[in-house]
Amino acid sequence: MVRRTKEEAQETRKQILEAAEKAFYERGVARTTLADIAALAGVTRGAIYWHFSNKADLVQAMLDSLHEPLEDMARASEREDEIDPLGWMRKLLIHLFQQVAIDPKTRRINEILFHKFEFTDEMCDMRRQRQIIFLDCNERIALTLSNAVRQRQLPSDLNPVRGAICLHAYVHGVLGQWLLVPDSFSLYEDAEPLVDTVLDMLRFSPALRG
């Protein structure tokens, strides 16, 4: 009985997340209420509050579902004993671009994040969470770049902090542009050359030295 109750709770949580994704995609985050999500999921608002503290918590849970498949590759590139950190980063970024291009769920959630998300007063907590996540992402990228320098895959005088900022901004820009005008280029087919372009920037740009 306890197991069934736990499974039912997990199923309800899944229903809520799926309904939130659909509502946010169709209406934008600011214009979607928890009542809208509850109606779409076929649950009460109380059921939503049982699983999520507020709308920001719900949005973050939806975004977290995107990170899980990439975590193993990310951790591999961050290990000090990894002999090919740049190779792992390349695989991760290619996978990221191609996953956005071919997987409808991944694309929808990224479209919500990039183009249907407004930092209103209601979402102040979410803004702080996004700031923390961005800074953490920069630190993790910088760690990978430092490992790549140690393995002589990148120049010894590369500034890993500056390099991380530039790489993060490049990836963010490519995704944002494609999601806005997907017919402008093939994100799937161009994934490898797009990734190799930013890695060449890290290897050869004098502005990233020192």
Side-chain angles (χ1 to χ4, degrees):
M1 184 66 178
V2 174
R3 179 179 177 183
R4 183 179 177 186
T5 302
K6 184 177 180 181
E7 289 174 350
E8 288 173 348
Q10 290 174 340
E11 183 60 31
T12 299
R13 187 177 190 276
K14 181 182 176 183
Q15 286 176 228
I16 294 168
L17 283 170
E18 289 175 349
E21 179 189 324
K22 183 176 180 181
F24 292 151
Y25 184 76
E26 292 177 350
R27 306 171 192 173
V29 174
R31 294 180 61 194
T32 299
T33 66
L34 292 182
D36 294 331
I37 295 169
L40 200 59
V43 301
T44 64
R45 285 185 64 186
I48 293 181
Y49 283 117
W50 176 263
H51 293 279
F52 306 99
S53 303
N54 48 39
K55 191 197 286 189
D57 190 30
L58 178 53
V59 172
Q60 190 57 55
M62 181 186 69
L63 296 178
D64 287 344
S65 67
L66 293 179
H67 301 160
E68 294 170 4
L70 300 174
E71 276 301 305
D72 288 343
M73 284 190 285
R75 289 197 187 97
S77 67
E78 294 163 11
R79 289 201 310 262
E80 287 189 10
D81 60 346
E82 173 54 50
I83 63 173
D84 187 22
L86 203 64
W88 277 107
M89 173 172 277
R90 182 177 184 273
K91 289 178 183 177
L92 185 151
L93 294 176
I94 291 171
H95 178 82
L96 171 63
F97 285 165
Q98 292 185 335
Q99 188 75 358
V100 171
I102 65 173
D103 181 64
K105 178 182 176 67
T106 303
R107 177 173 173 172
R108 279 194 304 272
I109 295 178
N110 273 283
E111 280 198 56
I112 293 167
L113 178 61
F114 278 83
H115 300 304
K116 302 188 178 186
F117 195 104
E118 308 87 355
F119 288 117
T120 58
D121 291 344
E122 182 186 20
M123 300 300 290
C124 284
D125 289 345
M126 187 67 202
R127 180 181 175 83
R128 285 190 287 271
Q129 289 177 26
R130 297 305 301 165
Q131 289 171 333
I132 292 169
I133 289 169
F134 257 70
L135 292 173
D136 179 65
C137 186
N138 282 352
E139 289 180 5
R140 295 181 72 179
I141 295 171
L143 178 58
T144 296
L145 298 185
S146 296
N147 290 341
V149 169
R150 190 180 304 111
Q151 294 296 336
R152 300 183 180 179
Q153 295 181 312
L154 291 173
S156 60
D157 57 349
L158 175 75
N159 185 316
V161 173
R162 197 180 306 150
I165 292 169
C166 291
L167 188 149
H168 194 177
Y170 175 90
V171 171
H172 197 267
V174 168
L175 289 175
Q177 179 180 336
W178 184 81
L179 289 165
L180 188 62
V181 279
D183 293 336
S184 60
F185 63 97
S186 171
L187 185 60
Y188 186 89
E189 293 179 3
D190 292 341
E192 290 192 34
L194 284 169
V195 171
D196 288 338
T197 295
V198 72
L199 296 184
D200 284 345
M201 177 188 72
L202 295 170
R203 293 187 183 101
F204 303 118
S205 173
L208 292 178
R209 305 290 177 266

